[in-house]
């Protein structure tokens, strides 16, 4: 099943994102077979990172939650909010 991970950064935590980005990318590298899409959300300036949006495939919600809990960004306290939502892809087929 596919899951949407919508993560919102805490205000004034740009430094936390920057400091933990290499570890976060390394962590994601362990899940390349699960990733449908992944990337940062951007502010109105179209440059500053304000959060993350990922769609990954896992067997169940418990595996999705474990993934989110162990993300270095989450462990570093970057996120104000993380929402995990089951998702069904309709297009493209």
């Amino acid at each position: 099943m596919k899951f949407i991970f919508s993560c919102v950064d805490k205000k004034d935590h740009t430094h936390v994102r920057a400091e933990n980005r290499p570890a976060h990318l390394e962590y994601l590298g362990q899940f390349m077979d699960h990733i449908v899409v992944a990337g940062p959300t951007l502010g109105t300036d179209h440059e500053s990172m304000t959060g993350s949006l990922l769609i990954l495939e896992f067997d169940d919600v418990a595996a999705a939650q474990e993934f989110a809990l162990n993300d270095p960004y989450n462990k570093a306290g970057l996120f104000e909010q993380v929402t995990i939502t089951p998702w069904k892809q309709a297009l493209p087929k």
Side-chain angles (χ1 to χ4, degrees):
M1 170 169 274
K2 292 178 181 153
F3 295 89
I4 298 171
F5 297 77
S6 180
C7 310
V8 179
D9 292 0
K10 292 177 183 172
K11 291 182 182 183
D12 300 321
H13 274 61
T14 304
H15 65 285
V16 175
R17 177 176 279 277
E19 292 164 3
N20 290 279
R21 186 168 173 75
H24 168 73
L25 294 175
E26 183 177 329
Y27 180 70
L28 290 183
Q30 299 172 35
F31 293 91
M32 292 306 292
D33 292 344
H34 298 266
I35 297 173
V36 177
V37 295
T41 56
L42 303 177
T44 56
D45 63 2
H46 302 267
E47 291 184 25
S48 59
M49 297 179 193
T50 60
S52 300
L53 177 74
L54 305 94
I55 300 177
L56 287 90
E57 192 161 355
F58 289 105
D59 291 336
D60 54 41
V61 70
Q65 290 170 333
E66 183 177 338
F67 167 82
L69 287 174
N70 289 307
D71 183 336
Y73 278 166
N74 189 53
K75 286 184 169 187
L78 173 61
F79 299 131
E80 177 180 318
Q81 179 180 1
V82 175
T83 304
I84 303 171
T85 307
W87 180 69
K88 180 179 177 183
Q89 183 172 345
L91 295 172
K93 293 183 178 190

